[in-house]
Amino acid sequence: DSGVTQTPKHLITATGQRVTLRCSPRSGDLSVYWYQQSLDQGLQFLIQYYNGEERAKGNILERFSAQQFPDLHSELNLSSLELGDSALYFCASSVDRTGSNYGYTFGSGTRLTVV
Amino acid sequence: EDKVVQSPLSLVVHEGDTVTLNCSYEVTNFRSLLWYKQEKKAPTFLFMLTSSGIEKKSGRLSSILDKKELFSILNITATQTGDSAVYLCAVNTGNQFYFGTGTSLTVIP
């Protein structure tokens, strides 16, 4: 157990629907990062929050949004889902703003299947 | 455009073999390079490299960074079936991590 908790583990939903993925960072970590991992593209950075505020944005679609709450857990909302959104979504956390000092700790991921 | 490229994409070896995985990068603001091992779950941290020429070692795994030629290698000696995994390389630019697509290693008994 890495200390980063992601729920649910698996999610199957129909196209056009909306889902919420949840992540609790490791105790003491202030940064939360979201990544999308699909078979053909590897790990793609989506977005980062640090202590409740958005810090960096990657290749995140407009249909996706995220937030980090005062208790530091984060949610990734995916709407108007398409078949191509099927992927493994990882959350990672780090104690610092950039992960430069100690790297990331990853959660075990949420596997999303859009049918 | 910042990018990280890993090679080979996959390899299959017999137990006891030694393998070398490569990671090359082109980024505008290099801070560190990290190696992760991903089995069927979350990637687990192996090494972080920030300085050229200093080898990091953990058991049968070792890694080194060349900041002049912009690459890193991960060596695994005396491979075991438990080494079978995808090995990911990531470069931290201060704003985010850029991941390569990984090298899939399969170790056959």
Side-chain angles (χ1 to χ4, degrees), chain A residues 2-108:
Chain A
S2 67
V4 179
T5 304
Q6 288 189 249
T7 57
K9 290 197 183 314
H10 300 276
L11 200 49
I12 301 175
T13 190
T15 54
Q17 297 300 303
R18 184 178 192 274
V19 297
T20 297
L21 313 183
R22 194 177 190 280
C23 169
S24 293
R26 199 176 53 164
S27 178
D29 285 359
L30 298 178
S31 278
V32 170
Y33 311 79
W34 286 98
Y35 281 85
Q36 179 191 58
Q37 187 177 42
S38 48
L39 280 174
D40 56 346
Q41 290 201 330
L43 271 165
Q44 299 287 317
F45 170 68
L46 296 178
I47 196 164
Q48 179 205 353
Y49 283 84
Y50 176 76
N51 206 19
E53 294 192 359
E54 182 183 304
R55 187 183 177 276
K57 218 167 188 176
N59 300 321
I60 187 166
L61 300 172
E62 284 191 14
R63 301 183 285 109
F64 297 180
S65 65
Q67 54 183 328
Q68 186 179 29
F69 295 87
D71 66 352
L72 301 178
H73 92 270
S74 178
E75 293 181 358
L76 178 67
N77 300 296
L78 314 176
S79 61
S80 302
L81 285 167
E82 302 174 358
L83 295 177
D85 297 326
S86 296
L88 195 52
Y89 290 84
F90 281 110
C91 168
S93 70
S94 68
V95 64
D96 55 2
R97 193 175 279 110
T98 64
S100 296
N101 293 323
Y102 305 104
Y104 288 172
T105 301
F106 280 87
S108 53

Side-chain angles (χ1 to χ4, degrees), chain B residues 1-101:
Chain B
E1 182 186 345
D2 294 340
K3 64 179 179 181
V4 175
V5 178
Q6 290 185 247
S7 64
L9 291 177
S10 73
L11 68 165
V12 179
V13 299
H14 287 284
E15 266 192 320
D17 289 350
T18 294
V19 296
T20 298
L21 311 183
N22 300 283
C23 174
S24 62
Y25 61 91
E26 287 181 36
V27 298
T28 51
N29 183 26
F30 176 89
R31 293 285 185 91
S32 60
L33 184 145
L34 293 87
W35 284 96
Y36 285 89
K37 177 182 181 182
Q38 184 177 24
E39 294 167 274
K40 291 187 178 176
K41 309 176 189 178
T44 52
F45 174 77
L46 294 175
F47 298 110
M48 178 187 290
L49 304 157
T50 54
S51 302
S52 267
I54 298 175
E55 185 183 53
K56 293 227 173 169
K57 200 168 170 63
S58 175
R60 296 176 293 102
L61 277 66
S62 64
S63 183
I64 197 161
L65 173 68
D66 185 329
K67 288 168 75 173
K68 183 181 175 187
E69 300 297 329
L70 307 182
F71 76 93
S72 173
I73 60 172
L74 174 68
N75 278 319
I76 308 175
T77 59
T79 51
Q80 302 171 357
T81 54
D83 296 327
S84 296
V86 173
Y87 290 83
L88 296 167
C89 167
V91 172
N92 184 326
T93 63
N95 283 328
Q96 61 174 285
F97 281 84
Y98 290 89
F99 279 82
T101 51

